[in-house]
Amino acid sequence: MNVTVTGATGLIGSAVCRLLVERGYEVWPVRHSVVDLRAPIDVNGVYWNETDAVIHCGARISGVAGQLADPAAAVTDNLVMTARILEAVAKAKPQPKKFVFLSSSTVYPAYGYAMKEDCIAGPDLHYEGVGGMKVYCEQLCAFYRNKYGLQSTILRPTAVYGPGDRSDHVIPDLIRRALATPANEALQVNGSAETVRDFVYVDDVAEACIAAITGPAGPFNIGSGEKTTLGDLATCIAEIAGHAQVRYAPEKAAAISYRQVDISWAKKQLGWTPKTSLQDGIKRTVDWMKTR
């Protein structure tokens, strides 16, 4: 089976490519820049008309600070890129059997419990740009299914982390701080220890992407199945990096205080279950970042 993966050098895309190759798939890795993929795409190009499935991992990402400073940047690039790729895939001859789209848990409001797939009531204000863009991209998937018969599966991952993460998201940021801070000093953490997140290891997300090739339409939440506080995370990173103490700065708290998703539907419909504990995932990520 031939699978095309966009964003093949990114955090998720590279993991998807690696696992596909290990399982004997033939992989077309699309490594073009976001700017390239915003341009009109040749619908008869080799990526689209010789593939059985497309996993769309390509994206321009930014943390909360970037979204607040320039909310339109990621919106415009990602929306146009996804629309161009959907157009090419839907009109390719023969048409690929499946299009897997990585949406995001930012489509959900900031409620204090684990979100189910039917909980959409509009994204939280801090994620209004990227969350609204992901909602519309999901609607585009439905449009191309209804108009051109393109079968798609939508995945909504939470906070993805792991080796290869070069972003400024909380886990790589904390690990960088831990590695740069002398062991006899406390690890500085910006935020409250009570902040709740759902951190999912990149290989578990990649496994979900592969399961989605033959799975139903979704949408499906992809998370760890565990509630992790910033305190839990900081303690884990501090211990692995050799720090005895952690110091918090609550005045620099994250945009929202609670984000978790319910993954029971993905377990049932995709036959997928996350396998990597936070301790193991952080250890692998710290080891990788030590070499960089």
Side-chain angles (χ1 to χ4, degrees):
M1 189 175 187
N2 186 304
V3 181
T4 295
V5 181
T6 70
T9 57
L11 173 62
I12 300 175
S14 60
V16 170
C17 289
R18 172 169 47 81
L19 294 183
L20 284 170
V21 170
E22 290 175 0
R23 285 160 175 72
Y25 289 85
E26 184 174 350
V27 180
W28 283 100
V30 180
R31 302 185 298 167
H32 298 307
S33 71
V34 171
V35 174
D36 292 334
L37 293 176
R38 278 171 36 195
I41 295 173
D42 177 12
V43 299
N44 295 314
V46 67
Y47 291 126
W48 320 117
N49 66 4
E50 296 184 12
T51 192
D52 298 300
V54 175
I55 302 177
H56 181 33
C57 302
R60 175 175 176 175
I61 63 170
S62 60
V64 176
Q67 292 167 26
L68 293 176
D70 189 3
V75 171
T76 303
D77 284 342
N78 287 312
L79 182 57
V80 175
M81 174 180 61
T82 300
R84 296 291 194 193
I85 292 173
L86 276 166
E87 181 82 3
V89 174
K91 292 184 176 179
K93 297 185 184 303
Q95 184 187 87
K97 298 179 179 67
K98 178 61 72 72
F99 182 86
V100 179
F101 174 62
L102 268 74
S103 184
S104 168
S105 63
T106 59
V107 301
Y108 297 122
Y111 291 161
Y113 53 85
M115 298 284 100
K116 291 189 175 183
E117 286 81 356
D118 60 356
C119 288
I120 290 185
D124 180 79
L125 178 62
H126 293 90
Y127 298 99
E128 188 174 20
V130 66
M133 175 271 295
K134 289 293 189 180
V135 170
Y136 187 67
C137 286
E138 291 186 11
Q139 293 171 345
L140 281 177
C141 290
F143 169 77
Y144 280 97
R145 180 183 65 245
N146 295 334
K147 187 170 179 62
Y148 296 102
L150 178 63
Q151 299 303 305
S152 58
T153 296
I154 293 168
L155 305 180
R156 294 174 181 162
T158 55
V160 186
Y161 74 97
D165 192 348
R166 299 175 176 85
S167 74
D168 60 354
H169 293 159
V170 62
I171 287 181
D173 180 63
L174 270 180
I175 293 175
R176 289 189 198 101
R177 289 172 183 264
L179 296 179
T181 302
N184 60 345
E185 296 181 15
L187 172 61
Q188 173 73 39
V189 179
N190 293 332
S192 167
E194 304 305 314
T195 297
V196 171
R197 289 292 182 270
D198 188 342
F199 299 106
V200 59
Y201 189 66
V202 64
D203 281 17
D204 289 330
V205 178
E207 293 282 8
C209 291
I210 296 172
I213 293 174
T214 55
F220 299 106
N221 290 331
I222 305 300
S224 67
E226 301 289 338
K227 179 177 71 173
T228 301
T229 66
L230 185 58
D232 296 332
L233 174 66
T235 299
C236 180
I237 292 175
E239 290 177 351
I240 291 172
H243 290 272
Q245 296 182 346
V246 178
R247 182 174 64 250
Y248 296 93
E251 70 278 5
K252 298 180 180 179
I256 58 176
S257 61
Y258 197 106
R259 173 74 76 197
Q260 186 187 12
V261 296
D262 184 317
I263 61 172
S264 57
W265 189 237
K267 286 183 175 180
K268 180 177 181 180
Q269 295 296 313
L270 294 178
W272 164 87
T273 301
K275 299 182 174 68
T276 310
S277 68
L278 183 70
Q279 184 80 16
D280 288 344
I282 293 297
K283 178 65 167 59
R284 296 172 197 172
T285 309
V286 169
D287 289 345
W288 177 82
M289 292 187 72
K290 282 181 177 179
T291 69
R292 295 301 186 270

